[in-house]
Amino acid sequence: MQRVTVVRYTAKSEYADENEALARAVFAELEESKPEGISYVIFREGCAFLHVFVNARADDADVLTQLPAFKAYQARISERCENPPDVQRSRMEMLEAYGLACGRT
């Protein structure tokens, strides 16, 4: 089974840009390490953020969560957010994908 994680939250206005910068650092580290079989995307509208992570190889997020940049991002997330992030994790079989780097397994 694959891991699918969707996270929604609203950053405090004074931390929204810092939050974006920390998130972008995660993507920079992913670009360097180039892990296979995952897709990760972040959307932003004002202070609202939506993260979507897919691991097409395993039911875990270690390939992402063990990155030093991700750990730095997580370090003060509760301080930066209006409310705790809403995290939804699912174990699902990917049936089809278009435009996701991991595609089908």
Side-chain angles (χ1 to χ4, degrees), residues 10-20 44 46-49 79-83:
T10 300
K12 295 175 184 173
S13 60
E14 65 269 23
Y15 291 113
D17 290 340
E18 176 187 354
N19 191 74
E20 180 179 332
R44 178 181 179 183
C47 294
F49 290 83
E79 180 183 326
R80 294 192 312 270
C81 292
E82 301 247 342
N83 296 304

